Amino acid sequence: MTVKNNRSRALMALSAAGVSALVLAGCAATTTAGGCELGPEQDGDLVLNLGTALPLTGNLAFLGPPEEAGAALAIDEINAANKGLTIDATFGDSGDTDNKAYDTEIPRLLGAGAQAIVGAASSGVSLQFIDRVIAECVIHFSPANTSAAFTDYEDKGLYFRTAPSDVLQGEVLGNLIAEDGHQRISFIVLNDSYGTGLAEFTKAAFEAAGGEVIAEPTYNTGDTNFTAQIAEALAGDPDAIVLITFDEAKTIVPELTSQFPGDKLYFVDGNLTNYSDDFAAGTLEGAKGTYPGVNEANIADFVAKLDANWQARGNAALELNAYGPETYDAVIVLALAALEARSTQGANMSEKLQEVSGGSGSGTKCTSFAQCADIINDGGTADYDGPSGNITFNDVGDPTDGNILIQQFDGNNVPATIRG
C-alpha cells in the first residue's frame, strides 16, 4: 500500500506534466456513488467535528449514560494520543418519537458543523432524522440501531452501525423460548421499526421450531395505559409472553405479573435492565432476555475504565454498561477512518470505514486508537477490533460479526449473563 502521509512529498518530486495528469484524473471521480462530493486530502493535523444524538430523555434514557460514557472515553483517549487527529465534540439528545428532541438537536448539531453524528439508540428515532443527516453528506453512525430496515436503506453510503441486525437477535430469542419448552406465546410490541421487526424475526424462529404465536398487540410511543394490550396477550392462555418494549416495561410489568407468572416473561435489549428499584423483590426472578453485546466478564478492564472516566467527568457511577462498548468503538473507527482518508469530510471517511474495521483489505490487527493510528501513520492498513468485538463492516455498513447474550433475572430483578 502507498504511504499516505508521504504523498504530498512524493507529488512535489513529479514533473509539472505529471502533476497536471494526476489532477485531471482526480477530477473524474470527485463524488461517491451516493452523490456526495469527495474532498481533497487535508494537510497537517486533523480536527473531526463530532456530534452525538444519544437518549438523554425519552423511553430509552436508561441507555444514555453508558452510551455517552463510551463516546466520552473514546474522545478523551483519541485527544490524548497525539496521533495527528483530535475530536471537537458537541453532545446532544435524541429523545424519542414522543418528545421529538431530535427535531431541535439534529439541526443544532449540523449547525455546529458536525461531520459525523453518533446516535440514536432507537431505530425508530434514527429513522426520523437519517435523511436530514445524509442530505448534508454527514455520516450517521448508530451504536445501537438493530432494525433490519437500515440494511437496504438509501443512505448514500453514509450510515453505519456497531450493533447487529435484529434478524440475529430474533432468531436467538425465538429459539430460546422454544428450547425452554414453551409452545404457545403472546407478544406485547412497541409499534415502530424496531419493535415490529424484532417481533417478526422472533415469531419466525419460534414458529420454525414448532411453536404458535397467539397474540401480538402493539402500542405507540407515549402511551401510558396498557390494560388492553395485556388483556389481549393473556386471552389465549399463553405459556410465555415476550415484551418487546422500551422503558414502558416499568408500567407493563406490575399489571401483567399480577395476572401472569413473572418467570414466564421474555425481555429484549430495549428493556433488559436493572429493575431492583422498580419492582418488588422476586417479581422477575427466572425471567430471561436477549441483547446484542459482549459478555462484560470478558472486558472487565474496559468496563472499569469506562466507569472511572465517566465518574471523573463528574457523573454518578454507571448502573449498566449496555451499548457503551459499541459507542466507544463507533467513535474510534470514525477517527481511524478520518486518519486513513486524511480528511474529516463525511464522504471521505465513509470510504475508509469498511477498511479500518477489517471488512476489506488485509489490514494489521490492532485494538486501540493509538496502536491503529501508528499503523496508519506509518503507511500501513489498520484492522481495528474493540471491546464490542470484531466490527468488520460489510459494504452496506452493517457489522458482519455479532453476539447475542442471554440473560436471566435474579431475585433482586437484576439480569445477569447466563450464555453468550
Side-chain angles (χ1 to χ4, degrees):
M1 181 175 180
T2 56
V3 181
K4 295 167 285 300
N5 295 320
N6 291 329
R7 192 172 293 160
S8 60
R9 290 194 292 273
L11 286 175
M12 291 175 63
L14 294 174
S15 67
V19 171
S20 298
L22 283 172
V23 171
L24 289 173
C27 291
T30 58
T31 60
T32 66
C36 289
E37 185 175 345
L38 289 168
E41 292 187 0
Q42 297 167 245
D43 294 328
D45 288 351
L46 302 173
V47 178
L48 172 59
N49 293 316
L50 181 72
T52 69
L54 298 169
L56 309 185
T57 62
N59 58 5
L60 274 183
F62 69 93
L63 289 179
E67 291 180 350
E68 272 214 332
L73 177 59
I75 291 165
D76 288 349
E77 290 184 351
I78 291 164
N79 289 346
N82 193 29
K83 298 296 182 180
L85 180 142
T86 56
I87 291 181
D88 185 2
T90 304
F91 290 87
D93 180 20
S94 64
D96 62 22
T97 55
D98 184 41
N99 70 26
K100 295 180 171 59
Y102 50 82
D103 271 342
T104 54
E105 290 289 79
I106 296 304
R108 182 177 72 87
L109 296 172
L110 293 172
Q115 295 158 310
I117 293 178
V118 175
S122 162
S123 295
V125 169
S126 283
L127 287 168
Q128 300 303 309
F129 67 73
I130 182 173
D131 290 340
R132 290 180 242 179
V133 174
I134 65 176
E136 301 297 326
C137 292
V138 169
I139 289 177
H140 181 179
F141 199 134
S142 173
N145 287 169
T146 55
S147 170
F150 293 102
T151 296
D152 298 320
Y153 199 87
E154 294 293 332
D155 57 22
K156 299 184 180 181
L158 294 169
Y159 176 85
F160 294 82
R161 55 180 165 181
T162 39
S165 164
D166 277 327
V167 174
L168 178 60
Q169 183 178 188
E171 180 181 355
V172 172
L173 180 57
N175 286 326
L176 171 66
I177 299 167
E179 289 169 7
D180 286 346
H182 302 299
Q183 298 178 328
R184 302 173 74 253
I185 67 172
S186 293
F187 290 82
I188 297 177
V189 181
L190 172 62
N191 186 22
D192 75 351
S193 175
Y194 162 77
T196 58
L198 182 50
E200 174 189 347
F201 300 127
T202 305
K203 177 181 179 179
F206 183 69
E207 289 181 339
E212 177 187 4
V213 175
I214 60 177
E216 304 172 71
T218 62
Y219 69 91
N220 297 313
T221 301
D223 288 353
T224 58
N225 187 308
F226 306 96
T227 299
Q229 289 88 348
I230 290 171
E232 183 177 346
L234 291 172
D237 193 24
D239 301 332
I241 296 177
V242 183
L243 301 180
I244 302 183
T245 77
F246 290 154
D247 201 46
E248 300 87 359
K250 291 179 180 177
T251 303
I252 294 171
V253 166
E255 183 175 352
L256 180 57
T257 54
S258 70
Q259 308 167 67
F260 190 80
D263 63 353
K264 298 300 189 292
L265 299 181
Y266 288 84
F267 291 72
V268 292
D269 59 307
N271 55 25
L272 191 60
T273 188
N274 181 341
Y275 293 107
S276 59
D277 293 333
D278 302 295
F279 309 141
T283 298
L284 295 177
E285 186 171 8
K288 295 178 182 176
T290 55
Y291 85 81
V294 62
N295 189 332
E296 291 180 10
N298 298 331
I299 55 168
D301 290 345
F302 172 81
V303 169
K305 182 169 61 173
L306 183 73
D307 188 42
N309 189 71
W310 185 240
Q311 291 190 57
R313 284 172 161 255
N315 301 293
L318 292 171
E319 295 184 2
L320 74 160
N321 304 295
Y323 293 113
E326 288 81 1
T327 311
Y328 173 91
D329 284 344
V331 176
I332 295 293
V333 294
L334 280 167
L336 292 173
L339 204 59
E340 174 70 28
R342 291 300 310 161
S343 170
T344 56
Q345 284 194 213
N348 295 52
M349 290 188 291
S350 73
E351 299 231 316
K352 297 298 183 181
L353 275 165
Q354 186 178 16
E355 179 179 303
V356 298
S357 75
S360 64
S362 301
T364 301
K365 288 288 186 183
C366 47
T367 57
S368 72
F369 172 77
Q371 184 184 22
C372 294
D374 282 341
I375 293 170
I376 293 170
N377 289 336
D378 287 342
T381 302
D383 174 2
Y384 173 73
D385 289 342
S388 72
N390 300 326
I391 300 163
T392 320
F393 294 125
N394 61 19
D395 56 7
V396 296
D398 279 352
T400 57
D401 292 324
N403 182 61
I404 305 297
L405 299 174
I406 297 173
Q407 298 193 330
Q408 188 168 24
F409 286 92
D410 64 17
N412 293 317
N413 306 312
V414 178
T417 299
I418 58 174
R419 192 191 313 171

